[in-house]
Amino acid sequence: MPRPVKPRHVCILPDYDAFGPVGIPKRNLQRINLSVDEIETIRLLDYQGYTQAEAAEQMNVARTTIQRIYNEARQKIADFFVNGKMLTIGGGNYTLCDSDDNQCRLPNRLRRRRKGRR
């Protein structure tokens, strides 16, 4: 019997919950759903610049779990872009941090590259 899924800590919900190609009616598009914990993983790793270990600590899961969530999310995003599908965001097993939660008060770690460096 598999272990129960541990809820992931999510600091913010996305402002938008659907994306798709312009000019094609929504009813004609296949849909891909990205869970809230998947979008939080993308936000922490790609947007904030966290390491997988830092993101795992932030979301209160193991680093291997972050790696699995991240790989699944990237696969869905690639399918969305390459095949022109409708991407929706919602669901998943998560708990939303409240304003008193110190877990979400870690400093913004967005790493900026210097000009001329790759």
Side-chain angles (χ1 to χ4, degrees):
M1 186 158 92
R3 293 175 64 182
V5 177
K6 188 175 179 181
R8 286 84 182 202
H9 287 210
V10 172
C11 292
I12 59 171
L13 293 175
D15 291 333
Y16 304 98
D17 62 358
F19 302 89
V22 175
I24 301 174
K26 291 179 186 178
R27 66 181 174 276
N28 295 344
L29 295 171
Q30 290 182 350
R31 293 179 186 265
I32 297 172
N33 188 63
L34 201 61
S35 66
V36 172
D37 53 326
E38 288 173 327
I39 197 73
E40 178 73 352
T41 302
I42 295 290
R43 184 183 76 81
L44 292 174
L45 294 176
D46 292 335
Y47 183 70
Q48 295 291 335
Y50 281 39
T51 65
Q52 287 184 2
E54 291 169 335
E57 181 182 346
Q58 175 84 11
M59 291 181 68
N60 197 33
V61 295
R63 190 200 53 79
T64 54
T65 301
I66 287 294
Q67 187 174 35
R68 182 183 49 77
I69 294 169
Y70 184 61
N71 288 336
E72 290 171 4
R74 287 181 54 209
Q75 184 66 40
K76 290 177 183 182
I77 292 169
D79 189 21
F80 158 69
F81 279 121
V82 171
N83 297 310
K85 295 182 179 180
M86 182 78 175
L87 180 72
T88 57
I89 299 171
N93 190 5
Y94 67 95
T95 58
L96 190 60
C97 298
D98 60 21
S99 60
D100 295 331
D101 194 344
N102 287 333
Q103 187 74 15
C104 289
R105 292 187 182 166
L106 292 177
N108 181 337
R109 299 188 183 180
L110 186 60
R111 296 184 178 124
R112 301 186 189 277
R113 294 182 178 168
R114 292 187 205 175
K115 274 188 166 179
R117 298 188 85 173
R118 290 183 181 198

